[in-house]
Amino acid sequence: MPHDYPPRPQQLQQLEGLQQRFAAALLDFEQIKPGLAMFNGNPAVVEDRLAIYRGNLSAIWGQSLGNAFPVIRQLVGDAFFEQIAREYGRLYPSQSGDLNQFGAEFADYLAQSGGVAAYPYFADVARLEWLAHRAYYAADAQVLALADLAPLATYGLEQLRLQLHPACYLHQSSWATAAIWSAHQPGSEQAYPGQLQADTYAIVSRPQWQVQVTEIGKAAFLALQALMKGRLLGEALEIALQEDAQFDIPQELSRCFLAGMFCGAIAVAPE
């Protein structure tokens, strides 16, 4: 019986070369003719079959990006979105077998694309949508309730180090991104913002398997940033009060816990 020996390095190189030529024929129209030499049969028939592959690939790009960026799709319209999805796919080929990761550079693409240069806020809207996309697929963890802190506060609440939930992110923009996002959610009654250039600070979270975006003030944002860096709750609140002397600690803590921001806490003995 014949033995199945592992492929030799030369064979692997040949296979890699064929794969690269096939990918080039799909992604670059100038590489179609050289790519045809890989196949037997009528070149016209082979080219038609490559076109089918290319069409399917474009459809996958459009569907994957549309799932992750539905607001951008609504803003630009279906036809133009399919066009920029094809361009994005050629410029930023997928580096993962998981298509949920395909849009990781989409905001950067929009920031550099001449096709949407008249809409500079698109890139930040896409950054917010990507965080919402990541939050949806993030790992699950038990959400910490505000009442859960009492038995943990051995040395007082200010000595707690809070752990952010894996489905929770912070978003900052100089555009009204959260208001734009909210206005485009299914069933939303929020009007599209009249003033697009506006500082935005927001929490992106998934408290009950549904992603939500919660707008917060700058003081709360700075405090949460500090918590993300491992600062104690007391230190974070001090940062917030330095930014805003009227910072309402009970109200802001309640807002954060209702958003499902935390999944754990550790009491740290004072030095």
Side-chain angles (χ1 to χ4, degrees):
M1 294 181 63
H3 296 282
D4 292 326
Y5 294 106
R8 295 187 296 273
Q10 183 179 1
Q11 293 174 319
L12 292 175
Q13 291 178 358
Q14 292 174 343
L15 175 60
E16 183 178 353
L18 288 172
Q19 290 172 334
Q20 290 175 346
R21 289 169 62 190
F22 181 72
L26 289 180
L27 299 175
D28 187 348
F29 286 102
E30 295 183 359
Q31 298 299 319
I32 292 176
K33 296 299 182 182
L36 297 179
M38 294 187 295
F39 303 96
N40 295 322
N42 188 327
V45 174
V46 174
E47 188 168 354
D48 287 343
R49 290 172 177 170
L50 278 174
I52 293 174
Y53 272 100
R54 189 177 302 108
N56 289 339
L57 183 60
S58 295
I60 291 171
W61 287 341
Q63 182 178 359
S64 298
L65 289 181
N67 288 339
F69 303 96
V71 173
I72 293 294
R73 184 164 198 146
Q74 292 177 66
L75 288 171
V76 303
D78 290 342
F80 188 62
F81 188 85
E82 295 297 330
Q83 178 182 329
I84 61 178
R86 288 193 294 272
E87 183 177 31
Y88 173 78
R90 290 194 294 270
L91 294 175
Y92 296 90
S94 177
Q95 302 297 313
S96 169
D98 183 0
L99 284 173
N100 288 323
Q101 303 299 320
F102 178 55
E105 291 86 18
F106 191 58
D108 293 338
Y109 160 78
L110 291 177
Q112 301 165 9
S113 173
V116 295
Y119 307 94
Y121 57 93
F122 277 6
D124 275 8
V125 172
R127 290 187 177 94
L128 176 57
E129 286 207 273
W130 186 245
L131 293 181
H133 180 74
R134 290 178 60 191
Y136 183 82
Y137 288 101
D140 190 24
Q142 182 68 40
V143 174
L144 188 69
L146 188 56
D148 296 333
L149 296 185
L152 300 173
T154 308
Y155 309 105
L157 291 177
E158 67 276 7
Q159 289 300 125
L160 289 178
R161 179 170 288 125
L162 299 178
Q163 179 183 358
L164 264 69
H165 194 283
C168 184
Y169 301 94
L170 295 179
H171 170 76
Q172 178 182 4
S173 174
S174 58
W175 300 96
T177 49
I180 294 171
W181 185 89
S182 296
H184 287 84
Q185 298 311 297
S188 173
E189 297 181 358
Q190 179 167 325
Y192 192 81
Q195 178 61 39
L196 292 178
Q197 196 158 8
D199 289 339
T200 295
Y201 304 92
I203 302 167
V204 180
S205 59
R206 191 198 61 200
Q208 295 178 340
W209 293 106
Q210 183 173 357
V211 176
Q212 65 182 37
V213 175
T214 305
E215 285 200 68
I216 56 176
K218 183 179 180 179
F221 180 85
L222 294 175
L224 291 170
Q225 269 192 329
L227 290 175
M228 289 182 68
K229 295 175 182 178
R231 304 289 290 273
L232 297 177
L233 179 57
E235 296 172 332
L237 294 176
E238 182 62 31
I239 290 172
L241 290 169
Q242 289 175 0
E243 172 64 29
D244 178 7
Q246 304 302 316
F247 183 74
D248 190 330
I249 293 177
Q251 177 179 311
E252 295 298 334
L253 281 177
S254 178
R255 188 203 306 270
C256 291
F257 277 91
L258 286 175
M261 281 207 66
F262 308 108
C263 63
I266 300 173
V268 179
E271 296 180 356

